[in-house]
Amino acid sequence: ALISNPKLLVIDEPIVGLDTASVEIFGKKIRQIIKTGSSVFISTHTLGFVEKYADVAGIIKNGSLVKEIPITSKTDLEQIYLNVTS
């Protein structure tokens, strides 16, 4: 998927089954891809990964985007998710 330097990379649950070191390597690679001007869309339930590597997160409920969240050092995605989906 990365050979052609895509403008948009869509990845579903990319860190499932990876050890901690591999998750760190993958996260850094995602950051490098973004720096080249590409966008990366990651579908995941691993909110800690999103908080660490994403710039913006979205919460989807019943197939619709219900909340878009800019990620900062104080973002608590788990709490936001619980507030939005309950």
Side-chain angles (χ1 to χ4, degrees):
L2 300 177
I3 292 173
S4 63
N5 297 318
K7 292 290 181 192
L8 174 64
L9 182 61
V10 179
I11 310 169
D12 183 37
E13 296 292 355
I15 62 170
V16 170
L18 295 182
D19 60 49
T20 303
S22 296
V23 170
E24 183 76 13
I25 291 166
F26 180 77
K28 288 179 181 179
K29 183 63 178 172
I30 292 299
R31 285 283 186 194
Q32 289 173 348
I33 293 167
I34 292 168
K35 285 181 182 178
T36 68
S38 296
S39 296
V40 180
F41 180 93
I42 299 173
S43 173
T44 186
H45 293 86
T46 311
L47 300 181
F49 180 81
V50 175
E51 287 176 342
K52 187 169 182 179
Y53 294 105
D55 297 320
V56 177
I59 297 175
I60 298 172
K61 182 176 180 181
N62 298 326
S64 296
L65 180 66
V66 295
K67 182 92 172 158
E68 189 173 315
I69 306 110
I71 303 297
T72 68
S73 61
K74 297 181 181 190
T75 302
D76 184 351
L77 281 180
E78 184 175 320
Q79 190 59 53
I80 295 169
Y81 176 82
L82 293 172
N83 291 342
V84 169
T85 60
S86 54

